[in-house]
Amino acid sequence: TLDDVTELASAQRVLAWGEMARQVAHEIKNPLTPIRLGVQHLRRAWRDGRGDFGSILDTNVTRILDEIDHLDEIARAFSRYGSAPAERQPGEPTDVSAVARDVWELERMGEGSVVWRLTIDGEEVTSSAGDTAIIALARTDELREVLLNLLENARLAEATEVHLDVSRAADRVRLTVRDNGVGMPAELLPQIFQPHFSTRTSGSGLGLAISRRLLEGWGGSISVSSDVGVGTVLTVALLPA
């Protein structure tokens, strides 16, 4: 018995192209976040007549140019995005505390009333400079994108306080993002790491799915707990290097 599967194959190709388009949009969105935050910081510093505006301008222009380079890298690297898992770059020793400081500092520069807190090894961090190094298996740029995605999700969940905590145990390094946003009902939690699932009509639904794939590729994991009206906790666990 022979079946004509031409239409089925065509439909599968259309779905694959749709998936690729959503992934491209998601990857481009990550560098746009620090660009937006940097521009907002510049505008606020200019309006406030800051005496150190020259230094602020130089810092933010450098960061924005770095993100433009990142966008260029995404454009060039996306052809490799569909490679088999065995071909993807493995985790390497990465200072996750430095990545956490960088992302925390980025979010603090943005507009809005959210209070961004960072603790490393139980100590409250007050500046982006620090000597504490916590090394785990990851990749700097991709871990930065994962954390940016988690913090932006917290902000978009109407949180007024977001706490990023970096801690280490004998067998894991943990990065925990805790917010006091709107939270999610228990029945939705098993779905949030699935592609195309989003609690927002404007969301691509790929952020957490891609984050989990990256983390699992390094031998790590991500878990979630949430209560409606209380907030959400996302925990990333990485292997120590």
Side-chain angles (χ1 to χ4, degrees), residues 1 3 30 58 66 89 91 98 107 109 144 174 197 234-235:
T1 301
D3 293 323
N30 279 320
D58 183 65
D66 286 344
Q89 293 180 315
E107 293 292 354
M109 292 192 309
R144 186 167 173 268
R174 289 185 172 82
F197 177 81
L234 283 151
T235 303

Side-chain angles (χ1 to χ4, degrees), residues 18-238:
E19 170 76 7
M20 181 67 74
R22 291 184 179 90
Q23 290 174 345
V24 170
H26 172 79
E27 293 298 310
I28 289 174
K29 183 182 71 174
N30 279 320
L32 291 179
T33 295
I35 289 174
R36 172 176 54 80
L37 294 172
V39 171
Q40 288 176 347
H41 187 212
L42 282 173
R43 182 172 62 181
R44 189 168 64 252
W46 175 259
R47 287 175 175 173
D48 294 344
R50 292 277 295 270
D52 58 345
F53 181 77
S55 174
I56 293 173
L57 175 65
D58 183 65
T59 298
N60 282 280
V61 167
T62 298
R63 189 183 294 276
I64 289 169
L65 290 175
D66 286 344
E67 294 304 328
I68 291 172
D69 288 340
H70 189 191
L71 284 169
D72 181 63
E73 171 62 22
I74 288 172
R76 289 183 288 106
F78 215 88
S79 61
R80 305 191 303 270
Y81 188 80
S83 60
E87 299 174 356
R88 295 175 190 149
Q89 293 180 315
E92 60 186 13
T94 301
D95 186 353
V96 299
S97 59
V99 177
R101 283 190 181 92
D102 182 47
V103 172
W104 169 73
E105 188 64 37
L106 272 173
E107 293 292 354
R108 291 175 70 208
M109 292 192 309
E111 296 177 342
S113 58
V114 180
V115 175
W116 303 95
R117 297 179 56 217
L118 172 64
T119 54
I120 297 177
D121 275 345
E123 297 291 329
E124 186 91 17
V125 175
T126 57
S127 72
S128 58
D131 298 326
T132 302
I134 298 179
I135 310 299
L137 293 179
R139 299 193 72 84
T140 298
D141 288 344
E142 292 173 345
L143 179 60
R144 186 167 173 268
E145 291 176 9
V146 169
L147 291 181
L148 273 172
N149 182 60
L150 299 187
L151 294 183
E152 281 295 293
N153 281 351
R155 182 179 64 82
L156 293 169
E158 302 176 17
T160 58
E161 181 172 317
V162 182
H163 181 195
L164 171 58
D165 176 71
V166 185
S167 61
R168 48 188 160 185
D171 61 340
R172 287 290 187 274
V173 171
R174 289 185 172 82
L175 300 96
T176 304
V177 177
R178 181 178 290 103
D179 70 63
N180 64 347
V182 295
M184 292 176 287
E187 61 268 22
L188 292 185
L189 296 184
Q191 305 176 53
I192 71 167
F193 298 111
Q194 297 176 6
H196 312 316
F197 177 81
S198 177
T199 57
R200 306 189 310 275
T201 57
S202 60
S204 68
L206 282 168
L208 290 176
I210 291 174
S211 294
R212 183 174 69 172
R213 187 184 64 178
L214 290 171
L215 295 166
E216 290 178 347
W218 307 328
S221 63
I222 183 169
S223 59
V224 61
S225 63
S226 189
D227 292 301
V228 175
V230 177
T232 299
V233 180
L234 283 151
T235 303
V236 170
L238 298 171

Side-chain angles (χ1 to χ4, degrees), residues 5-20:
V5 296
T6 303
E7 291 187 4
L8 175 61
S10 177
Q12 289 175 336
R13 284 195 296 270
V14 170
L15 288 174
W17 277 109
E19 170 76 7
M20 181 67 74

